[in-house]
Amino acid sequence: MKILIVGAGIAGLSMARLLQKQGLDFTIIEKKPAASTVGAGIALPFNALRALKEIGVYDEVMAHAHQVREIHYTTAQGKLLAQADLTAPPFAQDKFIALKRKQLQDVLLSGLEDKIRYATELTAVDNQIHGVKVNSNNGDIDGRYDLVIAADGINSGLRAEQYPNRHTLYRHKLPGWRFVIKVEQHQLQPLYMLGKSDLFMAYPLSEDELYCYAHIHEDNDSHPLSGDAKKDLRAIFCTYGGPVGKILQALDDVEVICGELKSVDQARYYKDRIVFIGDAANACSPLLQQGAAAAFEDAICLVESLIKDENIGPALEQYKQARRTRIEWIINYSDKPLASIKKMEKALPRFIRNTLIRLLGPFNVFGWKKLATQAKLANKRKLD
Ligand SMILES: Cc1cc2nc3c(=O)[nH]c(=O)nc-3n(C[C@H](O)[C@H](O)[C@H](O)COP(=O)(O)OP(=O)(O)OC[C@H]3O[C@@H](n4cnc5c(N)ncnc54)[C@H](O)[C@@H]3O)c2cc1C
């Protein structure tokens, strides 16, 4: 089988490792000129770690990781709303970790360096039921492939091309900022501070480093955005309690990554001989931190389907059927609460939100528990 992987991100590299393990041949193309990672930190919940074991890089990732044991949700002033123990059932056998994105990317990349053709992009794609004919900008990989794996991220060119009139990305109207910052002896567990339409999250990466993420609704009533990330962060979050004051004071030398949350209009699985994995298939909000986990699980499930059925068509259908329920539930659970964020500018919806969190516990932990325990959400194979 001649396989082309498009994109050397988390999904593409995971896929490549699994194909390599099975002795299957493949080529990876990456449009960037060299290995590089944009992004600050990444939090990996229990199912991402289970998948890392199957991919075969669990120990290597753990060597860079910081295990987190509790999650705290507070008000903007730092008053506790709920906390959850991540070492108690159903997670007693599992771990939740955070690490720098570059460290995760480097582990996944290790040993695959020679397989990746950088600065390479497809210029023409002819997707047919028995194979895909491609041309590229440098001619390096031109030819016919039995299978093309689209792992080209949320802005997937392949998805846009295969679904020309139906491909849109949904904007949540949530501009946000991410950074890693040194804060000595912070003694924090993951902390989510909920304001009005604004949120500040701090996730420990080590004893003295935090991965921070913050956002605010773009139509909020109080803070017109200036476009200067540090200025906006200081203006919006200066009234926050807890560690935020200390974090804002240390911002000067920190690289802040700006972005906005977007999701795919709908999950895609395959079309003829192009199969979608990772964000290209199912990007959604990071509320459940399922981005990397979904990429890992997509790759595992796809490889298993390809091994089980030598005919690619039925194998791709198996992949779709195995992933569908879980993926669509994750997208819905991750994106739905974001539709109400603007309403949190008002006191009553905020009161209801906070009461729900007090009663049910942190939203993400509630979701992870469902993912861990509900049989109908399991992939139709033993991932959990
Ligand atoms: C603010 C924010 C916070 C997040 N936090 C978390 C978190 O804590 N935990 C978590 O699990 N997930 C998180 N995610 C989601 C996570 O980052 C993604 O799900 C994950 O990076 C998807 O990996 P991927 O390989 O599918 O895509 P990407 O990482 O985007 O990789 C795609 C690759 O394809 C390449 N490419 C693109 N187009 C082409 C082309 N035409 N030809 C060749 N190559 C191409 C790109 O250069 C890139 O290298 C977060 C996302 C956001 C926005």
Side-chain angles (χ1 to χ4, degrees):
M1 206 190 307
K2 218 176 145 198
I3 300 176
L4 176 68
I5 303 174
V6 180
I10 294 173
L13 293 173
S14 305
M15 190 71 215
R17 298 196 80 86
L18 288 160
L19 290 174
Q20 200 171 46
K21 235 169 131 181
Q22 294 300 329
L24 291 169
D25 195 27
F26 60 90
T27 304
I28 316 183
I29 59 166
E30 166 56 53
K31 73 173 177 183
K32 286 186 275 192
S36 66
T37 316
V38 177
I42 190 156
L44 300 181
F46 74 103
N47 60 321
L49 298 198
R50 292 183 191 178
L52 282 174
K53 285 185 188 157
E54 301 200 38
I55 294 168
V57 291
Y58 178 84
D59 292 336
E60 291 84 341
V61 171
M62 288 308 283
H64 299 287
H66 183 76
Q67 187 182 356
V68 299
R69 294 186 162 77
E70 274 177 19
I71 291 230
H72 295 183
Y73 272 41
T74 72
T75 63
Q77 291 67 43
K79 194 170 160 208
L80 188 67
L81 292 170
Q83 72 187 80
D85 181 356
L86 297 176
T87 62
F91 306 121
Q93 311 298 320
D94 290 302
K95 288 196 170 75
F96 290 70
I97 60 164
L99 73 166
K100 290 186 182 150
R101 263 177 198 259
K102 183 171 176 349
Q103 292 170 327
L104 175 63
Q105 188 89 6
D106 286 351
V107 168
L108 291 170
L109 178 65
S110 164
L112 289 172
E113 293 85 348
D114 294 346
K115 299 288 290 182
I116 304 175
R117 290 162 195 254
Y118 288 103
T120 305
E121 280 186 78
L122 300 181
T123 49
V125 178
D126 182 13
N127 182 18
Q128 292 180 357
I129 198 149
H130 295 301
V132 190
K133 206 169 149 249
V134 304
N135 292 98
S136 60
N137 55 338
N138 47 25
D140 271 7
I141 49 109
D142 291 6
R144 193 179 171 80
Y145 292 83
D146 298 303
L147 183 65
V148 170
I149 300 175
D152 49 347
I154 187 165
N155 297 306
S156 171
L158 280 167
R159 199 182 58 224
E161 194 181 274
Q162 294 303 308
Y163 301 99
N165 301 318
R166 289 184 286 148
H167 164 75
T168 46
L169 288 176
Y170 182 77
R171 287 185 66 234
H172 296 285
K173 294 189 162 193
L174 287 171
W177 305 271
R178 289 185 268 175
F179 53 92
V180 172
I181 195 161
K182 264 214 148 21
V183 178
E184 300 295 333
Q185 297 187 352
H186 51 70
Q187 295 180 338
L188 286 178
Q189 288 293 327
L191 172 65
Y192 291 73
M193 304 183 76
L194 309 182
K196 294 180 175 174
S197 69
D198 39 278
L199 164 143
F200 196 101
M201 181 201 84
Y203 233 88
L205 293 177
S206 67
E207 297 298 312
D208 61 1
E209 263 181 323
L210 293 171
Y211 161 45
C212 298
Y213 167 78
H215 69 220
I216 188 166
H217 198 280
E218 70 182 21
D219 301 329
N220 76 85
D221 300 333
S222 353
H223 299 286
L225 297 177
S226 72
D228 176 334
K230 292 180 188 174
K231 193 172 153 195
D232 288 336
L233 278 165
R234 289 188 175 114
I236 298 163
F237 297 100
C238 61
T239 54
Y240 269 51
V244 178
K246 215 165 153 185
I247 292 170
L248 294 180
Q249 273 173 23
L251 259 188
D252 279 342
D253 300 325
V254 166
E255 186 198 348
V256 177
I257 300 162
C258 305
E260 72 165 316
L261 295 188
K262 290 186 192 160
S263 300
V264 292
D265 55 345
Q266 70 174 91
R268 302 288 183 191
Y269 302 91
Y270 73 95
K271 188 167 176 196
D272 295 330
R273 289 297 180 97
I274 298 182
V275 61
F276 298 90
I277 64 170
D279 272 9
N282 48 46
C284 63
S285 102
L287 189 140
L288 281 178
Q289 294 161 349
Q290 285 298 305
F296 300 150
E297 290 178 356
D298 287 347
I300 293 169
C301 190
L302 178 56
V303 169
E304 285 200 348
S305 304
L306 290 170
I307 293 165
K308 216 155 101 192
D309 201 322
E310 280 185 359
N311 298 315
I312 295 180
L316 298 185
E317 183 58 26
Q318 260 179 48
Y319 162 71
K320 176 178 177 175
Q321 295 309 329
R323 292 296 286 144
R324 189 171 195 169
T325 309
R326 185 170 172 96
I327 283 295
E328 284 162 26
W329 182 86
I330 289 169
I331 294 177
N332 187 43
Y333 193 96
S334 304
D335 284 355
K336 218 171 172 182
L338 274 58
S340 315
I341 286 184
K342 167 77 177 100
K343 292 189 192 132
M344 301 306 147
E345 298 273 314
K346 294 203 162 57
L348 181 61
R350 217 159 52 238
F351 172 77
I352 295 170
R353 173 196 70 188
N354 291 356
T355 307
L356 279 175
I357 294 172
R358 284 195 181 97
L359 290 172
L360 300 175
F363 281 144
N364 46 0
V365 181
F366 193 73
W368 291 329
K369 283 185 180 162
K370 282 186 182 282
L371 271 181
T373 55
Q374 294 207 351
K376 70 173 178 160
L377 292 183
N379 295 294
K380 288 192 186 133
R381 56 172 299 272
K382 236 179 131 289
L383 270 176
D384 294 323

